[in-house]
Each structure stands twice: as structure tokens, then as C-alpha cells.
């Protein structure tokens, strides 16, 4: 009995890792913008869904080979990120943070409308890149698309971590995140970093959207994942890239296990229950930086 229980837990964990890895990518986009601009982007889910639909447009509607379609999707979403920052958020520099956040809420509604107008509201199936026949490892079953999501998300997280740690632009982004005034004195273009942050965030969201669509389906309501990722971001710590990765994986695994044993309705609220429990113990999240104000 105990071995069956542990086997089921491991099986659900493996499946949860695939979704958790995608959550980590979307959460990474949240954190990148927040660290650079102090803005929490409530339109991240819509950017994710828009990126997936753009990929669908290139692959299914224009019949472009998958590799080129994927590269074009990344380029298109990066441009959308740059334009978004230029049109909607650069004019808001110096305005109250609440006003900027409300702009992100308005942007989310606008993008959802654009997606629905452009592609309709029928559920679409994103083409799979791998075999649909399940793989078996010592009695444990894993779908190739889940394994692909885990590997791709893991590689991308490693690439972005290396970029932030060693590249000139990555170091510049970390500097701006720590102190914008000091960064400007050192000759770093803060405006350029802001635009780059939005571009990278949009690209990361698009990759997450494509991976998620291959596992589930494609629909304008897929942007709801952005709300589900919110607990992962806060759980890990709003300003922590490591926290975003860990938080996304934890939420994905735990909610999958909860769904397996308690049903789909419980699965939908599991992440928020975890969020409340953790914040009662660690208000800044697992890896968040505590801010102490002296008065």
C-alpha cells in the first residue's frame, strides 16, 4: 500500500514538474520587470498567450517550418515588449506606482481583446513537436511533451541565469535593479535597460506560452495562467530570480499532487492556499529581500 502511494506521488510529481517548469519561465518574466522597474506586470499572462498565438500563426496559418517559426515568434514578441514599454510605460516614469500598475491591468484587458479579435474564441490545438506515445521508465509514465517542456525550460532558465550573471547587459540590468541613480552615474542607460527588460520578459512569456499550449490547448483564457503564476512569484520573493524558479516548480508540483488526490477544483486554489500559508511565516517570500525602514 505504501509503495503504491509513493509511486502515485512520484508519478504526479513528474507531471507537475513539466507545468512547474513553465510556471517558472512565466514567473521569471514577472521578476525581470519588477527588479528593473518596480512594476508588477499584470499583463504577463496575456503576453504569454499572445506569444503562443503568434507561434500558432506562423506554424499553422503560414506553414513556416517550426524552427524558423519559433525564431520569428521570439523576434515578434521581443518587438512587442519594446513597443509596449515605449508606448505605455515610458510616459509613466515618475508617476505613482499605483497608476503604473493600473496601466498593466488595462494592458492585460487590451491584449486579451486583441487576441480574441485576431484568432477568435474557439479552442485551438497547438501542434506538437514530439511523439505523443508515452514513455515508460521503471513503471513510471511520462509524456514526451512533458519531458520536452522540462528539458527546454531547464535549459532556458540556465541560459538566462548565465546571461544575468556574466553578460554586460545582464550585469547592467542587475545594477539598475539595485540602484537606478548609481547606474546612471556609471553611464548605464536606464531607459535602454527598461526596454530590454520588457523585451526579455515578453520573450520568456512567449516561450512559456508555446510550451504550455503543447501540453494543454490554446485559447484567450489561457492567460489565466498569469494569475496562477502570481503566487509562485510572491512565494519565491518578488525580487528574486532564484525564487521565481523555485516558486514556479513548487506550485506546479504541489497543485498537481493536490489535483490528483483531491480533485480539479482543489487544484485551482492550491497555489493561493500555499501563498497565504507561506506569507504568514515569511512575508517577503522564500528568497525575497527584507526591507527594513528606520523611522
Amino acid at each position: 500500500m505504501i509503495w503504491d502511494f509513493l509511486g502515485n506521488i512520484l508519478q504526479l510529481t513528474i507531471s507537475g514538474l513539466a507545468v512547474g517548469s513553465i510556471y517558472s519561465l512565466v514567473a521569471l518574466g514577472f521578476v525581470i520587470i519588477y527588479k528593473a522597474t518596480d512594476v508588477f506586470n499584470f499583463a504577463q499572462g496575456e503576453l504569454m498567450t499572445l506569444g503562443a498565438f503568434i507561434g500558432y500563426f506562423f506554424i499553422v496559418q503560414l506553414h513556416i517550418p517550426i524552427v524558423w517559426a519559433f525564431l520569428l515568434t521570439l523576434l515578434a514578441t521581443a518587438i512587442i515588449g519594446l513597443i509596449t514599454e515605449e508606448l505605455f510605460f515610458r510616459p509613466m516614469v515618475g508617476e505613482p506606482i499605483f497608476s503604473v500598475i493600473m496601466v498593466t491591468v488595462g494592458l492585460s484587458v487590451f491584449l486579451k481583446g486583441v487576441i480574441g479579435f485576431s484568432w477568435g474564441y474557439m479552442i485551438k490545438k497547438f501542434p506538437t513537436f514530439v511523439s505523443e506515445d508515452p514513455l515508460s521508465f521503471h513503471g513510471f509514465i511520462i509524456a514526451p511533451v512533458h519531458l520536452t517542456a522540462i528539458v527546454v525550460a531547464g535549459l532556458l532558465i540556465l541560459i538566462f541565469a548565465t546571461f544575468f550573471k556574466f553578460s554586460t547587459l545582464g550585469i547592467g540590468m542587475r545594477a539598475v535593479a539595485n540602484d537606478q541613480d548609481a547606474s546612471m552615474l556609471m553611464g548605464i542607460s536606464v531607459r535602454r535597460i527598461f526596454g530590454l527588460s520588457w523585451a526579455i520578459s515578453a520573450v520568456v512569456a512567449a516561450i512559456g506560452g508555446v510550451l504550455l499550449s503543447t501540453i494543454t490547448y490554446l485559447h484567450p483564457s489561457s492567460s489565466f495562467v498569469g494569475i496562477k503564476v502570481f503566487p509562485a512569484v510572491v512565494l519565491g520573493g518578488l525580487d528574486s530570480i532564484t525564487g521565481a524558479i523555485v516558486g514556479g516548480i513548487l506550485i506546479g508540483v504541489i497543485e498537481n499532487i493536490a489535483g490528483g488526490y483531491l480533485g480539479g477544483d482543489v487544484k485551482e486554489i492550491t497555489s493561493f492556499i500555499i501563498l497565504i500559508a507561506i506569507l504568514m511565516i515569511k512575508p517577503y517570500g522564500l528568497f525575497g529581500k527584507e526591507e527594513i525602514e528606520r523611522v
Side-chain angles (χ1 to χ4, degrees):
M1 182 67 70
I2 185 65
W3 294 112
D4 290 339
F5 173 75
L6 293 176
N8 289 335
I9 290 291
L10 184 56
Q11 180 70 69
L12 291 169
T13 299
I14 293 172
S15 300
L17 278 173
V19 178
S21 299
I22 296 170
Y23 285 176
S24 294
L25 280 176
V26 181
L28 182 63
F30 273 113
V31 173
I32 288 172
I33 291 180
Y34 182 82
K35 282 178 70 68
T37 65
D38 284 333
V39 172
F40 198 88
N41 179 24
F42 283 97
Q44 191 69 10
E46 282 69 28
L47 285 174
M48 179 199 76
T49 307
L50 179 61
F53 269 103
I54 290 173
Y56 177 88
F57 172 74
F58 286 135
I59 296 172
V60 176
Q61 296 178 269
L62 294 186
H63 306 290
I64 296 175
I66 288 176
V67 174
W68 288 107
F70 187 69
L71 293 176
L72 286 172
T73 299
L74 299 187
L75 177 61
T77 50
I79 293 173
I80 289 172
L82 289 171
I83 293 174
T84 299
E85 192 275 333
E86 179 74 28
L87 292 181
F88 295 99
F89 296 99
R90 188 161 295 181
M92 297 296 294
V93 173
E95 298 297 328
I97 193 66
F98 179 77
S99 300
V100 182
I101 290 175
M102 291 308 298
V103 171
T104 71
V105 174
L107 179 63
S108 72
V109 176
F110 171 73
L111 290 178
K112 187 174 292 186
V114 169
I115 293 169
F117 177 79
S118 302
W119 287 280
Y121 292 91
M122 296 294 291
I123 292 177
K124 295 176 174 58
K125 177 62 178 175
F126 202 93
T128 56
F129 313 127
V130 294
S131 171
E132 297 184 1
D133 297 327
L135 302 175
S136 177
F137 296 98
H138 301 288
F140 297 104
I141 306 299
I142 182 170
V145 67
H146 285 183
L147 183 61
T148 301
I150 293 171
V151 172
V152 171
L155 288 174
L156 288 171
I157 288 170
L158 182 61
I159 290 171
F160 280 112
T162 303
F163 168 79
F164 289 122
K165 190 172 182 63
F166 297 108
S167 72
T168 302
L169 285 175
I171 294 171
M173 291 178 68
R174 288 163 55 199
V176 170
N178 289 328
D179 192 322
Q180 293 183 13
D181 293 332
S183 299
M184 286 189 288
L185 291 174
M186 294 297 295
I188 297 174
S189 173
V190 174
R191 287 192 171 185
R192 182 186 179 196
I193 294 299
F194 282 4
L196 180 64
S197 299
W198 276 91
I200 293 177
S201 180
V203 167
V204 170
I207 296 172
V210 169
L211 291 176
L212 185 65
S213 298
T214 59
I215 294 176
T216 56
Y217 57 85
L218 193 55
H219 189 268
S221 65
S222 301
S223 59
F224 178 70
V225 172
I227 300 299
K228 295 184 67 175
V229 170
F230 176 72
V233 178
V234 180
L235 172 63
L238 284 173
D239 57 355
S240 172
I241 291 176
T242 301
I245 296 168
V246 174
I249 292 174
L250 282 176
I251 292 296
V253 170
I254 294 174
E255 77 169 16
N256 201 55
I257 293 174
Y261 282 95
L262 301 177
D265 292 337
V266 176
K267 178 180 178 179
E268 296 300 321
I269 64 173
T270 299
S271 57
F272 296 95
I273 295 174
I274 297 170
L275 173 65
I276 294 171
I278 291 294
L279 290 183
M280 291 175 65
I281 303 170
K282 292 181 68 67
Y284 292 95
L286 296 177
F287 298 91
K289 181 176 64 177
E290 295 188 18
E291 296 181 2
I292 301 175
E293 296 184 3
R294 299 186 183 275
V295 295

